[in-house]
Amino acid sequence: MKIEHSIDGNKGVFYINLEGKHVAEMTYSKAGPDKIIIDHTEVDESLKGQGVGYKLLEEAVKYAREKDVKILPLCPFAATVFKKREAYNDVLF
């Protein structure tokens, strides 16, 4: 499964596309030049239990590190993972 990334203006999404359909996605909004806000994570039932949400968040963290931006995790899933994984503290806003 390949995680793709798309940006349209101030909105972005990390997603997995199968047969032309987003089967998993994590959306965010840019909040200025140095911060993104993760606002939603959704994974299709067919992928539940496979750690797909974590993989999407890992891509978001990788992106934040590459672009030197911080993440404000408003999405309940992302917020919970940030509380559990101290390794992500360097990009936490």
Side-chain angles (χ1 to χ4, degrees), residues 36-90:
I36 62 172
I37 300 169
I38 295 176
D39 50 28
H40 179 72
T41 304
E42 188 170 347
V43 177
D44 188 89
E45 285 293 325
S46 66
L47 299 175
K48 297 276 181 172
Q50 298 180 36
V52 173
Y54 289 102
K55 292 174 185 173
L56 292 170
L57 186 56
E58 286 174 15
E59 283 297 311
V61 168
K62 180 180 168 185
Y63 171 80
R65 288 176 176 150
E66 289 172 358
K67 300 297 181 182
D68 197 26
V69 298
K70 299 293 184 182
I71 296 174
L72 177 59
L74 291 185
C75 161
F77 170 77
T80 298
V81 175
F82 265 93
K83 287 178 185 173
K84 292 179 182 178
R85 297 201 174 171
E86 290 182 17
Y88 295 166
N89 285 351
D90 63 312

Side-chain angles (χ1 to χ4, degrees), residues 17-30:
N17 195 15
L18 292 178
E19 299 176 7
K21 177 185 172 196
H22 284 198
V23 292
E25 66 181 17
M26 177 173 284
T27 61
Y28 68 89
S29 300
K30 290 183 180 180

